[in-house]
Amino acid sequence: MSNANKYACQEISIQAEDFSLADEVALLEKDNLTDGAVVTFTGRVRNNNNGHSVTSLTLEHYPGMTEKSLAKIIKQAKEQWQIGRVKVIHRIGELFIGEQIVFVGVTSKHRQDAYAANEFIMDYLKVKAPFWKKERITDSGETSENWLDAKDSDTDKADLWS
Amino acid sequence: MIKIVFFAALREQLDCAELSLNAEDMETVGDVKQRLSDKNSQWQQMFSKSSLLSAVNHDMVDDSHLVKSGDEVAFFPPVTGG
């Protein structure tokens, strides 16, 4: 197997464990002498949503379909932009304030394609990949759990690419 | 048989993660929804929501998509990952 193929096998990871931004960047750069640009995005759990105090998020996914959906998004990105390596990591299970949820890393010869492809992958992941967030919120000492509603703004943002 | 799976808020509201249906008399995803709606008024309400998403064998589809024995059909609310 060539190095490129070896890398491609690891483009998508759905995992409960945390990831290291430094390690992921090192992997995107390892033996990659053709790409001058590396663009990364990391999404984290914030402590507030719609005026509520959030204590944790629980991420559910659809095993099999999630990977297939992300592979399709990455393929679309590669058709649209001149990009080198791609890595998408999405965590599942219960995640607390400040914890990392999602990582998208893209390399390319020059920055424009890596920036655009990274944003495209994230925008499409938000509206097409089967993940669901349930938030645990605490208001005036009362704890409750709610499944988040999809946001029209996310759909509108993704639609801008088509 | 057709395997049916449910996710997230829908799974909790139905209190059901998966079930199997005989493929007889069902040609499309819309027919599957109709069969599930027949169970009771709560299920009927859940499967009449226009926001409900459907997938067959891990691809997003609409109600007119054909189904056959051996398929895995999934229903779930709009996605909220990232």
Side-chain angles (χ1 to χ4, degrees):
Chain A
M1 198 188 283
S2 73
N3 277 337
N5 283 340
K6 236 187 274 175
Y7 191 84
C9 292
Q10 303 156 3
E11 275 184 340
I12 298 164
S13 178
I14 314 295
Q15 60 188 54
E17 317 81 66
D18 196 9
F19 54 86
S20 152
L21 185 56
D23 289 352
E24 294 308 325
V25 170
L27 278 170
L28 288 165
E29 294 177 348
K30 189 176 192 300
D31 302 324
N32 181 355
L33 305 178
T34 52
D35 293 335
V38 181
V39 170
T40 67
F41 172 83
T42 307
R44 302 162 67 232
V45 182
R46 62 176 188 278
N47 68 358
N48 64 91
N49 190 33
N50 296 329
H52 298 292
S53 178
V54 177
T55 52
S56 72
L57 289 178
T58 300
L59 268 296
E60 177 172 329
H61 79 304
Y62 181 180
M65 181 172 173
T66 306
E67 292 81 352
K68 190 175 180 179
S69 159
L70 291 173
K72 191 176 166 190
I73 294 168
I74 292 171
K75 184 167 175 279
Q76 284 175 281
K78 286 180 171 174
E79 285 165 1
Q80 209 160 338
W81 293 281
Q82 293 282 326
I83 53 178
R85 295 180 183 177
V86 177
K87 179 71 182 254
V88 176
I89 302 173
H90 204 299
R91 294 178 68 198
I92 50 172
E94 187 173 21
L95 303 175
F96 295 89
I97 307 305
E99 283 199 74
Q100 304 183 116
I101 306 170
V102 60
F103 170 84
V104 176
V106 178
T107 72
S108 64
K109 284 191 177 60
H110 306 287
R111 72 182 183 284
Q112 288 88 346
D113 282 26
Y115 269 129
N118 192 302
E119 190 174 15
F120 168 85
I121 291 169
M122 202 51 221
D123 286 353
Y124 267 48
L125 180 156
K126 282 256 178 196
V127 297
K128 295 190 185 293
F131 290 103
W132 300 273
K133 286 194 189 101
K134 184 191 238 181
E135 64 177 9
R136 181 184 283 266
I137 57 176
T138 308
D139 281 324
S140 326
E142 294 285 311
T143 297
S144 60
E145 290 190 335
N146 308 299
W147 289 98
L148 294 189
D149 288 326
K151 286 184 279 187
D152 289 341
S153 57
D154 285 334
T155 308
D156 294 344
K157 179 71 171 61
D159 284 346
L160 292 176
W161 296 103
S162 55
Chain B
M1 298 296 274
I2 295 177
K3 182 182 175 187
I4 320 280
V5 292
F6 309 110
F7 289 95
L10 181 67
R11 173 177 47 76
E12 288 191 351
Q13 283 155 355
L14 300 175
D15 194 22
C16 177
E18 71 172 79
L19 55 84
S20 289
L21 288 179
N22 194 316
E24 242 171 69
D25 301 330
M26 294 195 297
E27 286 187 357
T28 65
V29 168
D31 294 339
V32 176
K33 277 185 174 176
Q34 185 56 54
R35 178 83 69 86
L36 294 167
S37 298
D38 290 343
K39 190 175 166 83
N40 62 42
S41 61
Q42 192 215 356
W43 283 52
Q44 184 180 20
Q45 193 194 348
M46 302 312 302
F47 290 99
S48 63
K49 279 188 182 172
S50 61
S51 61
L52 189 73
L53 299 176
S54 316
V56 172
N57 301 332
H58 296 165
D59 283 317
M60 215 86 92
V61 298
D62 60 27
D63 281 2
S64 64
H65 190 89
L66 298 175
V67 294
K68 59 181 188 310
S69 187
D71 280 349
E72 178 170 306
V73 180
F75 295 103
F76 44 80
V79 304
T80 55

